[in-house]
Amino acid sequence: MLDEAALKRIDPVDLHVGAMLRALRRAKGMGKSELGRGVGVSYQQVQKYELGHNRLSAGMLFRISQALDVEIAEFFSGLERKEINQPSILSRFVVAPDAVKFMKAALALTGATRDQLFQLCIVLAEDK
């Protein structure tokens, strides 16, 4: 995973697009290898795109959007004009250690239990 110094070296838009790529790929239940095969790159290259280490060309972004069956605009969803000079909340979360474990655990909860977890997270974040 990336530390704060590494996050600062990567263009925030590239980081956000990579984070959205990872989120969209996972939402479709697709592995890095499967996506890579579908667009003609290795799983390592997909990982580099997801972490923002390598920029996605327009052509590759188009092929990936088709492989995932999503609109290209979805990769930029949630990116605010004011955030262009800093990493988005989503991109900071996706590269955080244990983010995937946290997300899986939260999604395994239902109803009131999940709501309580979210409320606890909000309270704990406010105390910080």
Side-chain angles (χ1 to χ4, degrees), residues 26-116:
R26 293 182 71 112
K28 297 286 183 176
M30 188 179 290
K32 288 181 243 183
S33 295
E34 182 181 356
L35 177 59
R37 279 191 304 276
V39 298
V41 299
S42 67
Y43 80 90
Q44 293 98 331
Q45 186 61 48
V46 172
Q47 183 171 349
K48 289 177 183 180
Y49 290 146
E50 290 181 355
L51 294 174
H53 290 282
N54 288 10
R55 287 183 163 181
L56 283 159
S57 69
M60 182 56 69
L61 187 59
F62 179 78
R63 287 191 294 280
I64 289 173
S65 72
Q66 291 205 315
L68 294 175
D69 194 29
V70 298
E71 296 293 323
I72 290 175
E74 290 190 54
F75 291 95
F76 300 94
S77 176
L79 185 64
E80 300 291 327
R81 184 175 217 98
K82 64 185 178 217
E83 293 178 336
I84 289 178
N85 293 322
Q86 62 186 6
S88 69
I89 291 171
L90 175 64
S91 59
R92 289 193 332 253
F93 177 75
V94 170
V95 298
D98 296 325
V100 173
K101 274 197 244 179
F102 178 81
M103 203 168 11
K104 283 182 179 178
L107 292 173
L109 302 174
T110 58
T113 306
R114 186 186 299 177
D115 292 341
Q116 290 172 345

